[in-house]
Amino acid sequence: MIDANLVMSQEQTATSTTPSTNIIDLGPQREYVAQGDDLVIHCVVAEDFAGTGGLLTTLQGCDTEGGTYENLMVSSDMGIHQLTKGRPILSGTLPKVMLTSAGNPIRFLRMNYGVVGSPTAGKVSAYIDLVPAKPTRRRMVS
């Protein structure tokens, strides 16, 4: 089950360079991260791409919602022929501490879909998954 508050794009058309439909505010999620839970980014092709060119996908972060977003994770440059439905574009565990180049904590995340060439069709979906920390085993001492 995907938390709707952690969805950046849901079958978003990516035929021109554009940011994700939604921006994720990590403010409410910080308590989970502080407890050791992991935030994992998933970005996949939701509809086959057609046309020419390719896609470069970037996870971006900022300390303010309307500020200048900085690149945090970048996919490999994928050609149109690689962008088939279900194909992962970008995934990975986010660092526990994310700071802007100015040293401020990153609070807001978005994806940026950088299009090269002239795709005529293609959609992407991106979301963050909260992966609970593994419970530690403790031995009872009597």
Side-chain angles (χ1 to χ4, degrees), residues 47-115:
E47 175 186 276
D48 290 354
F49 278 68
T52 61
L55 184 68
L56 183 67
T57 303
T58 308
L59 174 67
Q60 298 179 323
C62 190
D63 55 347
T64 61
E65 187 171 6
T68 301
Y69 282 77
E70 300 178 19
N71 294 345
L72 302 175
M73 295 173 74
V74 181
S75 72
S76 59
D77 191 7
M78 299 179 75
I80 288 288
H81 64 283
Q82 297 173 299
L83 296 167
T84 56
K85 185 175 181 175
R87 173 116 188 219
I89 301 171
L90 182 66
S91 65
T93 302
L94 300 177
K96 296 283 184 204
V97 177
M98 295 182 289
L99 302 174
T100 65
S101 56
N104 299 322
I106 288 175
R107 178 169 174 170
F108 298 93
L109 296 175
R110 72 177 186 187
M111 298 300 293
N112 191 62
Y113 306 110
V115 172

